[in-house]
Amino acid sequence: MNTIKILAALSVAGLVAGCNPMGGGSGQKASANLESRSGSSVKGDVQFVWQGSDVMVTARVSGLKPNSEHGFHVHEKGDCSAPDAMSAAGHFNPDGKAHGSPGSSHSHSGDLPNLKADANGNANYSAKVHGITVNTGPAGIVGRSVVIHRDPDDYKSQPAGNSGPRLACGLIRST
């Protein structure tokens, strides 16, 4: 009888795994509280929600230069302790790809679309991204950091898009 129960459990587990062969998520969430770095007054919060094979990234940010554009990336380490946020290391890049436009076949997993501030220096951001997951797996962002840079990402310069100093940094945590 125990063998039958074990086989039944394995069969159910196989069916559940088979329903999602891409390893997509079903609503897992994470967030980051952005704290000012490099003498800036930039702050805000970022939300990550896993939706199938994509992650919806939303953010509310204040303290930016009015009508400005900023590089916005997931970084390798979940460490924002340095005054300039260099403790967060480089862009999250588990596949060892070149830096490039988000969503292209030639980009780091941590490359996100630029963040754009309004006339008051605030940004309400929303982007659907591919190549990251909301967990601690190989493409997972939980335990890493998210960073806002002073300048826009040019999506060409290697290895990080020439985005300049890091204005804000936040640790990404499961919610």
Side-chain angles (χ1 to χ4, degrees):
M1 186 70 171
N2 286 339
T3 304
I4 293 171
K5 287 181 182 177
I6 291 170
L7 289 174
L10 289 173
S11 188
V12 168
L15 287 172
V16 170
C19 290
N20 202 350
M22 298 298 288
S26 57
Q28 292 92 328
K29 297 178 182 180
S31 65
N33 181 32
L34 295 167
E35 297 179 2
S36 301
R37 292 291 180 263
S38 301
S40 81
S41 59
V42 177
K43 61 183 176 180
D45 60 81
V46 185
Q47 306 294 318
F48 301 88
V49 180
W50 202 356
Q51 301 174 337
S53 60
D54 297 316
V55 173
M56 179 57 72
V57 182
T58 57
R60 292 176 50 95
V61 181
S62 64
L64 299 164
K65 180 180 173 187
N67 300 311
S68 59
E69 191 170 342
H70 303 270
F72 190 43
H73 309 105
V74 174
H75 281 250
E76 184 68 32
K77 294 185 179 178
D79 182 355
C80 296
S81 62
D84 61 359
M86 291 302 288
S87 52
H91 294 182
F92 178 49
N93 188 13
D95 298 323
K97 293 183 177 181
H99 181 71
S101 296
S104 73
S105 61
H106 303 288
S107 67
H108 301 152
S109 295
D111 292 337
L112 302 174
N114 283 335
L115 183 114
K116 297 176 184 176
D118 65 17
N120 296 312
N122 299 315
N124 288 312
Y125 179 92
S126 181
K128 190 177 277 194
V129 298
H130 191 75
I132 59 175
T133 59
V134 183
N135 60 21
T136 58
I141 59 169
V142 172
R144 302 192 187 286
S145 59
V146 62
V147 173
I148 297 175
H149 294 264
R150 180 191 66 201
D151 303 319
D153 188 325
D154 66 14
Y155 302 126
K156 296 180 282 188
S157 301
Q158 299 301 323
N162 199 28
S163 296
R166 301 167 185 198
L167 301 181
C169 183
L171 174 63
I172 302 170
R173 304 172 193 260
S174 287
T175 53

